């Protein structure tokens, strides 16, 4: 597809379609609606639930961004966090970050970006709006 | 010479490098305007000096743009400010230098070192102790009747006490110096003296630098940490920097996820955060985002 380097992998899509988490309706709907985003969304969602073991994990579609975010809590007593799945091969920008922050409701002070590689490597980085000091 | 520019700090431009030669000006820039610059001067006689450097202070181009744009400083073109001196002028200058050197030598040492009563008393004590030791040693060898071993002659201190040499760092006292001043960036650019910023990217850097400076931050060079600048919450002599900043000239400038990983990880490993600074020319504003490794995943 023009401008997008993600290669669609039919075998991967078959695996996703048969995965237990795919029965979760929102995930299925959003993956079908935004196929370019499906791999990173699917990977991030499952990583958060099974590997990071977060709670209250939900998929929230944001049409303006043509993608979904995943919300959840690190633990039951932790605040709700927003994770934006993204592929290593995507091309982001400051404008992209502005749009992500603006289209989350309510507008957050920080988001986590879940970067997914082709080999399903997963890494999370925290992006805060503004000049935010690192913790000591 | 116009008096109005007398209160402005002169920035001497030499081959497109901005230098400050006056120590009071360097101090004012740091304390009042949060511009630290980098000292790059060495003494001609110490060819390997590389730890403590002195004047001149080299300014970053963005620092120059900020200072001149705020009317705090003027640009001086060194090459056209010095005409060729005449032979009588040179003779007079040479004579003044010799006279100054003699006057400095004649001074009873630097005021801060050994002319205080305390220092003189201590020196007298040391001299007395050394004399006592030497006479005791002589006495001992005489009594034992030993052949006096010829020790090397004690070092005779140079009769000249240590003195401070004052080297004038500005051209102000020279009769053939008539500074060509430019108090706006456009005037300096028209004359070809100072042309920064000339590209879109350079303008973006100046805008981001100004935004950070107006928030009260001090900026230093960022090359050691993989960014455009180090951003300090106060004087770099007192604080470590919290941020490494990178300029993104346009809102649509490419930002790859792998860059977020690289910048974020390096920042976190060095107890800093990486600061993405996006210049939005249309709105004349800067968007800031701070990157930190999440600590999980």
């Amino acid at each position: 597809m023009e401008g997008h380097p993600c290669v669609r992998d039919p075998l991967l899509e078959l695996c996703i379609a048969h995965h237990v988490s795919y029965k979760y309706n929102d995930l299925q709907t959003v993956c079908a609606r935004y196929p370019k985003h499906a791999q990173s969304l699917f990977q991030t969602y499952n990583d958060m639930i099974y590997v990071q073991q977060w709670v209250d994990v939900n998929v929230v579609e944001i049409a303006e961004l043509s993608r979904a975010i995943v919300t959840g809590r690190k633990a039951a007593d932790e605040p709700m966090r927003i994770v934006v799945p993204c592929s290593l091969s995507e091309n982001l920008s400051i404008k992209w970050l502005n749009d992500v922050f603006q289209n989350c409701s309510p507008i957050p002070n920080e988001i986590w970006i879940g970067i997914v590689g082709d080999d399903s490597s997963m890494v999370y980085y925290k992006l805060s709006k503004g000049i935010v000091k690192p913790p000591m | 010479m116009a008096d109005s520019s007398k209160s402005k700090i002169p920035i001497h431009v030499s081959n497109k490098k901005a230098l400050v030669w006056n120590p009071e000006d360097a101090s004012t820039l740091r304390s009042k305007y949060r511009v630290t610059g980098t000292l790059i001067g060495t003494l001609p006689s110490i060819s390997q000096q590389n730890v403590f450097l002195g004047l001149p202070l080299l300014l970053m181009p963005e620092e120059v743009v900020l200072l001149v744009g705020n009317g705090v400083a003027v640009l001086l073109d060194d090459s056209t400010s010095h005409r060729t001196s005449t032979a009588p002028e040179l003779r007079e200058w040479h004579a003044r230098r010799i006279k100054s050197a003699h006057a400095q030598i004649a001074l009873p040492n630097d005021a801060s070192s050994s002319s205080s009563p305390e220092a003189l008393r201590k020196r007298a004590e040391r001299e007395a102790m050394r004399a006592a030791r030497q006479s005791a040693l002589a006495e001992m060898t005489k009594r034992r009747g030993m052949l006096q071993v010829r020790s090397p002659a004690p070092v005779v201190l140079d009769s000249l006490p240590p003195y401070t040499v004052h080297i004038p760092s500005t051209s102000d006292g020279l009769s053939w110096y008539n500074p060509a001043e430019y108090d706006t960036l456009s005037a300096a650019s028209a004359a070809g003296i100072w042309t920064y910023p000339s590209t879109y990217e350079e303008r973006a850097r100046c805008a981001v630098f100004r935004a950070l400076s107006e928030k009260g931050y001090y900026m230093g060079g960022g090359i050691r940490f993989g960014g455009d600048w180090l951003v300090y919450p106060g004087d770099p002599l007192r604080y470590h920097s919290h941020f490494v900043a990178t300029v993104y000239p346009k809102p649509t400038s490419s930002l790859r996820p792998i860059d977020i990983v690289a910048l974020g990880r390096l920042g976190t490993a060095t107890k800093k955060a990486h600061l993405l600074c996006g210049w939005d020319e249309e709105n004349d504003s800067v968007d800031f985002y701070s990157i930190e490794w999440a600590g999980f995943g």
Side-chain angles (χ1 to χ4, degrees):
Chain A
M1 265 165 237
E2 194 212 9
H4 189 80
C6 274
V7 175
R8 291 186 62 170
D9 182 346
L11 181 60
L12 175 63
E13 289 178 0
L14 196 66
C15 291
I16 291 176
H18 284 87
H19 194 272
V20 59
S21 68
Y22 205 57
K23 304 292 182 273
Y24 179 54
N25 277 326
D26 281 3
L27 187 64
Q28 193 176 36
T29 318
V30 179
C31 281
R33 193 169 297 153
Y34 308 111
K36 283 190 261 186
H37 182 52
Q39 185 189 352
S40 52
L41 173 63
F42 177 81
Q43 195 65 46
T44 306
Y45 177 80
N46 281 291
D47 188 85
M48 283 167 67
I49 291 186
Y50 295 111
V51 182
Q52 308 306 328
Q53 303 194 317
W54 283 23
V55 295
D56 296 343
V57 179
N58 287 297
V59 174
V60 179
E61 182 187 349
I62 303 189
E64 295 86 346
L65 301 173
S66 301
R67 64 205 309 137
I69 58 169
V70 187
T71 58
R73 292 171 204 278
K74 209 166 166 202
D77 53 354
E78 289 267 329
M80 185 70 73
R81 293 186 182 186
I82 293 175
V83 179
V84 182
C86 148
S87 163
L88 203 55
S89 50
E90 282 191 65
N91 222 333
L92 312 177
S93 64
I94 298 285
K95 179 178 186 307
W96 184 87
L97 287 175
N98 289 341
D99 288 344
V100 167
F101 275 80
Q102 289 302 314
N103 283 295
C104 288
S105 169
I107 296 180
N109 287 324
E110 70 254 336
I111 59 162
W112 278 257
I113 175 170
I115 303 172
V116 181
D118 276 345
D119 63 352
S120 72
S121 291
M122 185 88 217
V123 67
Y124 297 87
Y125 277 84
K126 180 180 172 190
L127 280 158
S128 307
K129 183 89 179 80
I131 303 176
V132 177
K133 259 173 28 178
M136 276 297 111
Chain B
M1 212 183 304
D3 261 318
S4 61
S5 60
K6 251 202 167 167
S7 54
K8 291 191 187 178
I9 293 174
I11 296 176
H12 297 256
V13 180
S14 188
N15 197 26
K16 302 272 170 69
K17 297 274 186 204
L19 305 173
V20 175
W21 287 96
N22 182 299
E24 279 81 31
D25 290 342
S27 171
T28 305
L29 283 175
R30 191 182 195 107
S31 57
K32 199 168 168 197
Y33 300 107
R34 295 188 298 281
V35 167
T36 52
T38 310
L39 290 169
I40 60 167
T42 61
L43 295 173
S45 55
I46 306 181
S47 53
Q48 289 176 341
Q49 179 182 4
N50 57 6
V51 179
F52 289 112
L53 302 176
L55 292 172
L57 191 73
L58 174 71
L59 300 179
M60 289 192 283
E62 296 83 16
E63 289 175 320
V64 174
V65 171
L66 183 76
L67 294 167
V68 177
N70 284 346
V72 165
V74 282
L75 294 167
L76 269 62
D77 177 32
D78 266 355
S79 61
T80 54
S81 299
H82 297 81
R83 60 166 168 80
T84 310
S85 51
T86 63
E89 280 176 329
L90 268 183
R91 278 198 296 273
E92 192 262 325
W93 170 77
H94 191 64
R96 260 193 296 137
R97 269 218 320 171
I98 300 289
K99 194 171 157 201
S100 165
H102 283 302
Q104 287 179 56
I105 291 169
L107 277 175
N109 306 320
D110 190 28
S112 61
S113 65
S114 45
S115 63
S116 66
E118 179 67 23
L120 289 169
R121 184 185 62 79
K122 279 192 174 163
R123 167 178 288 192
E125 267 178 29
R126 278 201 306 273
E127 297 289 323
M129 274 178 62
R130 179 160 1 111
R133 269 202 307 274
Q134 293 210 338
S135 66
L137 184 62
E139 195 56 43
M140 197 172 71
T141 51
K142 199 162 86 179
R143 258 194 250 126
R144 289 185 187 176
M146 278 161 51
L147 267 174
Q148 186 168 7
V149 175
R150 277 228 179 266
S151 52
V155 174
V156 175
L157 275 175
D158 195 355
S159 58
L160 212 56
Y163 57 92
T164 303
V165 176
H166 292 276
I167 305 170
S169 61
T170 64
S171 301
D172 292 340
L174 304 176
S175 51
W176 55 90
Y177 176 65
N178 194 15
E181 288 188 6
Y182 300 89
D183 54 6
T184 62
L185 292 166
S186 44
S189 177
I193 306 306
W194 181 266
T195 52
Y196 189 98
S198 55
T199 64
Y200 181 87
E201 282 70 27
E202 289 173 356
R203 283 202 302 278
R205 288 176 68 100
C206 290
V208 171
F209 189 91
R210 168 179 284 273
L212 285 167
S213 183
E214 282 171 0
K215 286 182 188 285
Y217 294 103
Y218 287 67
M219 265 64 67
I223 190 170
R224 292 197 307 277
F225 288 89
D228 289 320
W229 301 297
L230 285 181
V231 181
Y232 299 82
D235 191 312
L237 284 174
R238 296 175 61 202
Y239 295 89
H240 282 296
S241 58
H242 288 145
F243 302 99
V244 183
T246 305
V247 175
Y248 287 82
K250 295 183 182 158
T252 51
S253 295
S254 171
L255 165 65
R256 300 173 308 162
I258 193 74
D259 294 328
I260 294 178
V261 174
L263 300 174
R265 194 62 175 209
L266 175 61
T268 301
T270 53
K271 297 206 187 101
K272 303 181 202 298
H274 204 95
L275 199 59
L276 304 175
C277 312
W279 163 234
D280 185 351
E281 193 185 23
E282 228 179 273
N283 300 324
D284 193 19
S285 64
V286 182
D287 292 308
F288 293 106
Y289 287 96
S290 310
I291 310 177
E292 218 186 292
W293 177 52
F296 61 86

